Amino acid sequence: MKKLAIWGAGGTGIQIIEIAQWQNEEEHIWDEIFFVDNWKPEDEEIYGARNLHFDTVKECYSPEQVEFVIALGEPRDKKLRFEEIRAAGYGFGKVIAPNARVSRSATLGEGFVALDGVLVEPLSVVGDCVMAGDYAAIGHGSVIGDYCHVGASSNIGGDNVFGDEVFLGLHCATKQGIKIGSYSVIGMGGIVLNDVPESVIMAGVPAKKIKDRDDEMRVF
Amino acid sequence: MKKLAIWGAGGTGIQIIEIAQWQNEEEHIWDEIFFVDNWKPEDEEIYGARNLHFDTVKECYSPEQVEFVIALGEPRDKKLRFEEIRAAGYGFGKVIAPNARVSRSATLGEGFVALDGVLVEPLSVVGDCVMAGDYAAIGHGSVIGDYCHVGASSNIGGDNVFGDEVFLGLHCATKQGIKIGSYSVIGMGGIVLNDVPESVIMAGVPAKKIKDRDDEMRVF
Amino acid sequence: MKKLAIWGAGGTGIQIIEIAQWQNEEEHIWDEIFFVDNWKPEDEEIYGARNLHFDTVKECYSPEQVEFVIALGEPRDKKLRFEEIRAAGYGFGKVIAPNARVSRSATLGEGFVALDGVLVEPLSVVGDCVMAGDYAAIGHGSVIGDYCHVGASSNIGGDNVFGDEVFLGLHCATKQGIKIGSYSVIGMGGIVLNDVPESVIMAGVPAKKIKDRDDEMRVF
């Protein structure tokens, strides 16, 4: 039995650990769930769990003993941490709320995180290190790239294609058949009716381009 | 024990068959679930189910043996198919996700389809051949006409009155007490604060009229 | 075993009694659930339950025998009734749908009402007499004042601070870290990206000030 390491002990990490504990009560897949947060001390508990620095994890546990999920919202940070963890030889688990529903025909990448009531519809293909917030839905036949974030209560229509590192804020929706290019961001409440190119920031109803997104620009 | 025939084997049909299979695991109401799609071949399985053409159904099964639901989004198409099926003497079933909740005082028409987490609130009256997408809610005391579509994550307020063939897109909401005339369409993300006449297309926050809807105009 | 009194037998009251009956089937906390509505007759049943006037309740039952929740949307009315009930010596219960999920680290005030699928996330602190509609979510670490209303499908981001008597309509969302002053109203579909002062009415995507709210102004 493995341990689950949640990278990031902020608000998102605490949401995820509570879901993971609930999942573990039902599925008994991990013998411990702890945080990995290099910016917080190792000697105090966070939300009832240990916090370890990544160097400590590498010293104490082999890749056979621990699997990770990443509790960060910023897609670029997720990618950097994902690559760092993988380079150290560790793999990734999945945290899926017991009240979420993943279609039997959906394909999930490594490190998938689904909070309460998430729906992954038939024939969708979800990349690595994707997180979906409360009541988010990923439409049938949609293909979602790596490191994407799907905000709570957001709804991806059927047959969408998302590149990597796409960020959908809270309460967004996309029409059937939409393509969103890598690194683009849809701001809270954005309703996407047309294809979105790479590296732009969109917002509104319907969503319009606010500005380009350069490499240094952060979602938060 | 009857068979369930799902008219339409596209993306919506596949969503519905998965829900129907889940419902059937819990309620054991059908001895087979299959598709009816005249535009797809009869000799190959779709999502693990048989596809039959409607003529074949009529040859092989009596109305006592099969009941239908319709997996089409376009209200006009739903009406045409509903009438064709009924004219052939067949009746309609209901597909209701086990995690949906229908009030004990709600009244549901024939052929109702409710995907994950749909709520039908107390004292509401829902017409024939209505479909409600994931996490859609039909408000208390609301009266919904025939062939309406309630998009995923949409929320109909209390005491609304909808005519027939109303289409609410993804992520819409209507205020308490709203009336929406037959054949009108509310585009994705539309927030309806005032009554809507017949045969218009509305969109936005708050929703405003975009154009009239003539008889030939299709939602998709 | 106490009785549960639901103050208000309108549409909201009927939604709440159905949830309370469901909760009671699972938790067996009340030996009767009835309405208290001074504007409706005492001699007829409403939704299968007795209706009593408040004077009758005070004559017939001691504070040890009855606890209340309030089924009103208007925050000011909730406050007045809450104070009236408390002044008469009675306390408040909680109505929480069995499919809602309250974090183990959240703190709930008296008289909390959560309809279907409500989420109260970790470390949030919710004041007295707050109601959350279907699929509403209260973000992690958020502090919600007394008599607030969180509309169905609304999503409060993490680490928000709401004053008292805040009204969030249907389908609203607030960004991480937002502060909303007391007595302010966010209209249906409002997306709140910046702090909101006291006593204003906001609407739109993003939400902008529509007008000030004076003391006499009602939400409904």
Side-chain angles (χ1 to χ4, degrees):
Chain A
M1 205 177 242
K2 289 197 171 188
K3 296 176 190 303
L4 176 69
I6 296 171
W7 186 295
T12 302
I14 285 167
Q15 278 197 278
I16 292 176
I17 202 170
E18 194 162 89
I19 296 292
Q21 288 164 343
W22 181 22
Q23 178 183 5
N24 207 34
E25 283 169 26
E26 308 229 337
E27 300 182 25
H28 309 289
I29 36 186
W30 304 297
D31 62 17
E32 186 190 355
I33 303 172
F34 62 85
F35 288 113
V36 175
D37 194 321
N38 292 333
W39 287 267
K40 296 193 172 175
E42 289 198 313
D43 51 6
E44 54 187 56
E45 288 203 338
I46 299 173
Y47 213 70
R50 287 198 295 166
N51 181 49
L52 301 181
H53 294 171
F54 189 41
D55 284 343
T56 309
V57 175
K58 289 186 283 188
E59 282 165 29
C60 300
Y61 300 111
S62 73
E64 287 68 41
Q65 293 175 289
V66 181
E67 60 185 14
F68 284 76
V69 293
I70 296 178
L72 303 171
E74 187 78 36
R76 184 59 46 93
D77 291 346
K78 293 209 287 186
K79 183 180 186 188
L80 293 173
R81 294 297 83 75
F82 190 86
E83 291 175 345
E84 181 181 354
I85 293 164
R86 179 172 272 173
Y90 294 86
F92 294 85
K94 293 182 181 72
V95 171
I96 298 175
N99 59 355
R101 200 173 66 78
V102 176
S103 167
R104 61 177 166 88
S105 65
T107 305
L108 300 178
E110 298 180 62
F112 182 65
V113 174
L115 301 186
D116 285 275
V118 164
L119 303 175
V120 185
E121 297 181 3
L123 303 172
S124 55
V125 178
V126 180
D128 291 335
C129 203
V130 169
M131 174 168 167
D134 307 325
Y135 295 122
I138 295 171
H140 58 80
S142 289
V143 178
I144 308 300
D146 300 334
Y147 318 115
C148 289
H149 179 93
V150 186
S153 302
S154 282
N155 210 304
I156 297 173
D159 300 320
N160 277 222
V161 179
F162 281 31
D164 295 337
E165 301 184 41
V166 172
F167 187 95
L168 236 64
L170 273 176
H171 260 247
C172 294
T174 68
K175 200 177 169 183
Q176 171 88 10
I178 289 293
K179 289 181 174 52
I180 300 187
S182 295
Y183 323 118
S184 283
V185 173
I186 314 299
M188 276 176 63
I191 300 288
V192 183
L193 301 182
N194 297 105
D195 289 352
V196 174
E198 284 199 5
S199 299
V200 297
I201 298 181
M202 312 275 295
V205 181
K208 290 177 181 156
K209 178 174 163 179
I210 303 295
K211 55 183 171 183
D212 288 313
R213 182 181 187 208
D214 66 44
D215 274 5
E216 305 305 309
M217 200 177 291
R218 301 178 61 83
V219 178
F220 298 106
Chain B
M1 206 177 243
K2 289 198 172 188
K3 296 178 190 301
L4 177 70
I6 297 172
W7 186 295
T12 302
I14 286 169
Q15 277 196 278
I16 292 177
I17 202 170
E18 195 162 89
I19 296 292
Q21 289 164 343
W22 180 23
Q23 179 183 4
N24 207 33
E25 283 169 25
E26 309 229 336
E27 299 182 25
H28 310 288
I29 37 186
W30 304 296
D31 63 17
E32 186 190 356
I33 303 172
F34 62 86
F35 288 112
V36 175
D37 194 320
N38 292 333
W39 288 267
K40 297 195 171 171
E42 288 199 314
D43 51 4
E44 53 187 56
E45 288 204 337
I46 298 171
Y47 214 70
R50 287 197 296 165
N51 182 47
L52 301 181
H53 294 172
F54 190 40
D55 284 343
T56 309
V57 175
K58 289 186 284 189
E59 283 165 30
C60 299
Y61 300 111
S62 72
E64 287 67 44
Q65 292 176 292
V66 181
E67 60 185 15
F68 283 77
V69 293
I70 296 178
L72 303 171
E74 188 77 36
R76 185 57 48 91
D77 292 346
K78 293 208 287 185
K79 182 181 187 188
L80 293 172
R81 295 297 83 76
F82 190 86
E83 291 175 344
E84 182 181 355
I85 293 164
R86 178 172 274 174
Y90 294 85
F92 294 84
K94 292 183 182 73
V95 171
I96 299 175
N99 59 355
R101 199 171 68 77
V102 175
S103 168
R104 61 177 166 87
S105 65
T107 305
L108 299 178
E110 298 181 61
F112 183 64
V113 174
L115 301 185
D116 285 275
V118 164
L119 303 175
V120 184
E121 296 179 3
L123 303 172
S124 54
V125 178
V126 180
D128 290 336
C129 204
V130 169
M131 174 168 167
D134 307 324
Y135 295 123
I138 295 171
H140 58 79
S142 289
V143 178
I144 308 300
D146 299 335
Y147 317 114
C148 289
H149 179 94
V150 187
S153 303
S154 281
N155 210 306
I156 297 173
D159 299 320
N160 277 222
V161 179
F162 281 32
D164 294 338
E165 301 185 40
V166 172
F167 186 95
L168 237 64
L170 276 174
H171 259 247
C172 294
T174 68
K175 198 176 169 182
Q176 171 88 11
I178 288 294
K179 289 180 175 51
I180 300 187
S182 294
Y183 323 116
S184 284
V185 174
I186 314 299
M188 276 176 61
I191 299 289
V192 183
L193 301 182
N194 297 105
D195 289 352
V196 174
E198 283 200 6
S199 299
V200 297
I201 298 182
M202 311 276 294
V205 182
K208 291 178 181 154
K209 179 175 162 180
I210 304 296
K211 55 183 170 185
D212 288 312
R213 182 182 186 209
D214 66 45
D215 274 5
E216 305 305 307
M217 200 178 289
R218 301 179 60 81
V219 178
F220 298 106
Chain C
M1 205 177 243
K2 289 197 172 188
K3 297 177 190 301
L4 176 68
I6 298 172
W7 186 296
T12 303
I14 286 168
Q15 279 197 276
I16 292 176
I17 202 171
E18 195 162 89
I19 296 292
Q21 288 165 342
W22 181 21
Q23 178 183 4
N24 207 34
E25 284 169 26
E26 309 229 336
E27 299 182 27
H28 310 288
I29 35 186
W30 304 296
D31 63 16
E32 185 191 355
I33 304 172
F34 63 85
F35 288 113
V36 175
D37 194 320
N38 293 334
W39 288 267
K40 298 195 171 171
E42 288 198 313
D43 51 5
E44 54 187 55
E45 287 204 337
I46 299 172
Y47 214 70
R50 286 197 296 166
N51 182 48
L52 300 181
H53 293 172
F54 190 40
D55 284 343
T56 309
V57 175
K58 289 186 282 188
E59 282 165 31
C60 299
Y61 301 112
S62 73
E64 286 67 43
Q65 292 175 288
V66 181
E67 60 185 13
F68 282 76
V69 293
I70 296 177
L72 303 172
E74 187 78 37
R76 183 59 47 92
D77 291 347
K78 293 209 286 186
K79 183 179 186 189
L80 293 173
R81 296 296 84 76
F82 190 86
E83 291 175 344
E84 182 181 354
I85 294 164
R86 179 171 273 173
Y90 293 86
F92 294 84
K94 293 182 181 73
V95 170
I96 299 175
N99 60 355
R101 200 173 67 77
V102 176
S103 167
R104 61 177 165 89
S105 64
T107 305
L108 299 178
E110 297 180 62
F112 182 65
V113 173
L115 300 185
D116 285 275
V118 163
L119 303 175
V120 184
E121 296 180 3
L123 302 172
S124 53
V125 178
V126 179
D128 290 336
C129 203
V130 169
M131 174 169 168
D134 307 325
Y135 295 123
I138 295 171
H140 58 79
S142 288
V143 178
I144 308 301
D146 299 335
Y147 318 114
C148 289
H149 179 93
V150 187
S153 302
S154 283
N155 209 306
I156 298 173
D159 299 320
N160 277 222
V161 179
F162 281 32
D164 294 337
E165 300 184 42
V166 172
F167 186 94
L168 237 63
L170 275 176
H171 260 248
C172 295
T174 68
K175 199 177 170 182
Q176 171 87 13
I178 289 294
K179 289 180 174 54
I180 299 187
S182 295
Y183 322 117
S184 283
V185 173
I186 315 298
M188 277 177 60
I191 300 289
V192 183
L193 302 181
N194 297 105
D195 289 352
V196 174
E198 283 199 7
S199 299
V200 296
I201 298 181
M202 312 276 294
V205 182
K208 289 176 181 156
K209 178 175 162 180
I210 304 294
K211 54 184 171 183
D212 288 312
R213 183 182 186 207
D214 66 46
D215 273 5
E216 303 307 306
M217 199 178 292
R218 300 178 61 82
V219 177
F220 299 105

